[in-house]
Amino acid sequence: MQTAPQHEPAVAGEAEEAEKGPLRRCIVTRESLPKERMIRFVLGPDRELVPDLAGKLPGRGMWLSAKADVLEHALTRGAFSRAARGTVNPPPDLRARIEDGLKRRLRDLVGFARRGGQAICGRDSVREWMRSGKAGLLMEASDGSPRERAKHVGGFGLPVVTPLPADMLGGIFGRDQAVHVAIAPGRLAEAIEVEAARLAGIAGPVAK
C-alpha cells in the first residue's frame, strides 16, 4: 500500500514568501521548486479559490506542487486558509477544473505548433519526422494502445507524453482522431512537455 507523504503545515505569510525569487514554495510540502512544476492559486471575489494556471492573475499567490496528493492535502487540512490568513472557498470540482484547464492549455499549444508547421499527426508522417530528426517530442493519445505506442516510439530516444485522448488530438488537426503526433524541437515542445507533466501530476492517484 502506498503511504501518503508527510507534509508540514503552511504558516501565515508564506504566500508572500512563495512569490519571491526564481523558485516558488509549496504551501503544503514547503519545498521550493521551479514554478513550471507547480500550480498557482489566488482568491477571487467572495474569497473563492481560483487556479491561476498561467501564473499571471493579480493578487497574492499560493503555490502548490502539481501533484494530486498535495492538492488533496491542501483541501482537507486547511492549508489554503492558513496561507490566506482567512476563509477560503474552494469549488467542489477544483481538481477537475485544473485538469480541464491544463488540457485546454495543451490543446492551444499544439494548435500553435500545427499552425506554425511545427506539429504533424499520422503514423507514417510522424515516423518520417522521427527518422529525419525533425521530431523533438512525441504526443501519443492517452486512450491509445500501450502495446502499439511502445512499438511506434521505441528505438528513437525521444520524450513521449500522453496527456490528451485521440478525439481531442484529432480535433486540433481537423480529424476525428489522432493517435500519433510529433512536435518539432523548440519552445513549444518544451512548453507542451511542461504542461503534460503538470497534468500528469494533478490527474495522478492520491496516495493513501
Side-chain angles (χ1 to χ4, degrees):
M1 179 179 296
Q2 192 176 13
T3 302
Q6 299 298 312
H7 303 306
E8 300 178 40
V11 295
E14 190 160 294
E16 294 96 327
E17 182 182 354
E19 295 282 271
K20 298 177 181 177
L23 303 177
R24 300 294 184 266
R25 177 174 289 184
C26 176
I27 64 172
V28 171
T29 68
R30 309 289 295 279
E31 293 178 287
S32 292
L33 299 169
K35 63 183 180 180
E36 292 81 8
R37 294 170 56 187
M38 308 184 79
I39 304 291
R40 183 178 188 262
F41 298 84
V42 297
L43 291 182
D46 301 321
R47 298 185 70 83
E48 72 268 25
L49 189 64
V50 179
D52 176 19
L53 301 179
K56 296 181 179 180
L57 291 178
R60 188 173 64 203
M62 295 173 283
W63 293 80
L64 284 185
S65 301
K67 297 180 180 178
D69 60 330
V70 175
L71 177 62
E72 179 70 14
H73 184 102
L75 291 171
T76 58
R77 304 293 180 87
F80 286 117
S81 296
R82 286 191 295 271
R85 294 182 289 187
T87 300
V88 172
N89 300 312
D93 60 344
L94 179 61
R95 185 180 178 190
R97 290 190 188 190
I98 296 171
E99 290 183 32
D100 289 345
L102 290 171
K103 288 178 180 179
R104 286 195 299 271
R105 288 173 64 81
L106 280 160
R107 184 184 61 201
D108 290 345
L109 287 167
V110 178
F112 293 146
R114 180 192 64 80
R115 290 191 291 275
Q118 299 180 53
I120 196 168
C121 72
R123 179 183 176 85
D124 293 341
S125 297
V126 168
R127 288 192 69 84
E128 178 57 32
W129 269 37
M130 289 192 289
R131 292 191 189 100
S132 62
K134 293 181 180 180
L137 176 69
L138 301 179
M139 293 188 73
E140 295 288 307
S142 58
D143 51 354
S145 164
R147 178 178 296 180
E148 171 66 17
R149 182 185 308 148
K151 181 179 179 181
H152 178 65
V153 305
F156 288 93
L158 292 169
V160 180
V161 295
T162 59
L164 302 177
D167 59 345
M168 189 173 291
L169 283 175
I172 299 169
F173 293 88
R175 300 185 176 190
D176 291 335
Q177 291 190 330
V179 177
H180 310 291
V181 173
I183 310 294
R187 296 181 66 179
L188 282 173
E190 293 170 2
I192 290 168
E193 193 168 5
V194 164
E195 297 297 356
R198 291 207 296 173
L199 177 59
I202 290 295
V206 176
K208 301 298 183 181

